[in-house]
Amino acid sequence: MLNGKNKLLTAISIIIILMIMLPLMMVVITSFNDQSTISFPIKGFTFRWYHNIFEQPDFVSGFGNSLIVALIASLLALVLGIPAVYALTRFNLHHASWFQSFFLSPTLIPEIVIGFALYQAAVVSMGLPVMPSLIIGHFLLCLPYVIRLITASMLLLDPHVEEAAWVSGCSRKKSFFIIVLPNIKSSIIAAFMMCFINSFNNIPISLFMNGPDLTMLPAAILNYLQNNYDPTVSAISVLLMTFTAALMFLVEKVVGINQLTE
């Protein structure tokens, strides 16, 4: 039975959902507008703005570049972050809390500062190509998500399970792969999803690391919006939302929502 407090919480929840969904619905609707500028309500229906996306070379190349950088940075964050978390949570390391704070420190620094610092250090001073510099920047962006999520999962995993495997003759290295990793699979997948989405949509670091021959999709969208105010930006926003939803659906089909929420 709903009491006054529950009714208030329900009303607040509905208001928050509407505040999130209504702007997104407006973006979807305006993407089909046949007018040459973004306006609401729309006066006609057309698909030409979706076709216009693929006529913009920066959008096509930017999507590929953003996809590659997000995948590499997310995988690097997992490959380096998971062993680091295992060492911090399973070994009696001196100053373990200091290392935790160090790995999480990128979240305390504004991303635009990280982008500028990396541009000065990696591109200007060291002369690194733009692509490796981008991957380094996005790796720093992704690593805190891996550290935070995997640490929480490792602290919930009973260490006696590993000890039982050692007693049975399993080496520490082997037990890590057959005991630890399967038990924290849901956190690994969640960390990858968080890393990929945040890296793919990142703007500050991508803006600083853009080059004449390499454009990231968020930067390409901003550059297009500076000179054009047609519904092409709404159309590409709809495609990006669809891409993210399809990715989530694929994860659900492969591993199952129940496994992710266990």
Side-chain angles (χ1 to χ4, degrees):
M1 182 176 180
L2 290 176
N3 53 35
K5 184 177 179 180
N6 289 335
K7 289 181 180 178
L8 178 61
L9 291 175
T10 302
I12 294 174
S13 300
I14 293 173
I15 292 172
I16 293 174
I17 291 173
L18 290 175
M19 291 175 63
I20 295 173
M21 295 304 299
L22 286 179
L24 295 179
M25 292 305 301
M26 288 181 65
V27 170
V28 174
I29 293 170
T30 56
S31 70
F32 298 105
N33 191 8
D34 66 351
Q35 302 296 307
S36 58
T37 58
I38 299 174
S39 60
F40 185 88
I42 64 174
K43 296 184 170 115
F45 188 90
T46 182
F47 284 102
R48 71 185 174 114
W49 306 115
Y50 288 89
H51 182 266
N52 189 46
I53 293 173
F54 301 98
E55 294 181 347
Q56 307 299 321
D58 285 348
F59 286 170
V60 177
S61 61
F63 177 84
N65 293 330
S66 293
L67 186 65
I68 291 171
V69 170
L71 282 173
I72 295 176
S74 301
L75 291 174
L76 275 177
L78 288 174
V79 170
L80 298 178
I82 294 174
V85 171
Y86 183 79
L88 290 173
T89 55
R90 288 294 187 263
F91 296 97
N92 294 322
L93 298 178
H94 293 292
H95 307 294
S97 60
W98 185 89
F99 283 108
Q100 281 277 1
S101 300
F102 174 76
F103 286 128
L104 296 174
S105 61
T107 59
L108 304 177
I109 305 172
E111 291 178 12
I112 193 168
V113 176
I114 295 177
F116 176 71
L118 282 173
Y119 175 76
Q120 289 290 327
V123 178
V124 176
S125 300
M126 300 174 62
L128 291 179
V130 175
M131 179 61 84
S133 303
L134 264 171
I135 293 173
I136 293 172
H138 284 246
F139 164 76
L140 293 176
L141 174 71
C142 294
L143 186 60
Y145 293 103
V146 174
I147 298 297
R148 181 67 74 183
L149 289 171
I150 303 300
T151 297
S153 187
M154 285 297 301
L155 292 176
L156 291 174
L157 179 62
D158 189 353
H160 294 96
V161 178
E162 290 180 79
E163 293 173 2
W166 302 338
V167 171
S168 301
C170 187
S171 64
R172 181 182 287 272
K173 181 179 178 181
K174 187 176 180 180
S175 68
F176 174 78
F177 287 100
I178 67 174
I179 302 296
V180 176
L181 291 183
N183 278 282
I184 63 171
K185 179 177 69 172
S186 60
S187 293
I188 293 174
I189 296 171
F192 176 80
M193 292 295 298
M194 291 289 292
C195 291
F196 180 85
I197 292 172
N198 281 278
S199 173
F200 188 86
N201 296 315
N202 179 266
I203 293 177
I205 295 175
S206 300
L207 281 176
F208 274 103
M209 297 299 178
N210 265 349
D213 300 323
L214 194 151
T215 302
M216 303 292 281
L217 184 58
I221 294 173
L222 286 178
N223 291 334
Y224 184 87
L225 196 56
Q226 286 179 346
N227 303 309
N228 306 274
Y229 196 64
D230 59 52
T232 301
V233 176
S234 297
I236 197 170
S237 299
V238 173
L239 291 185
L240 289 176
M241 287 190 287
T242 305
F243 172 72
T244 304
L247 187 63
M248 295 296 295
F249 178 78
L250 179 63
V251 170
E252 191 276 331
K253 285 297 181 183
V254 172
V255 300
I257 290 295
N258 291 332
Q259 293 186 41
L260 284 176
T261 56
E262 284 179 355

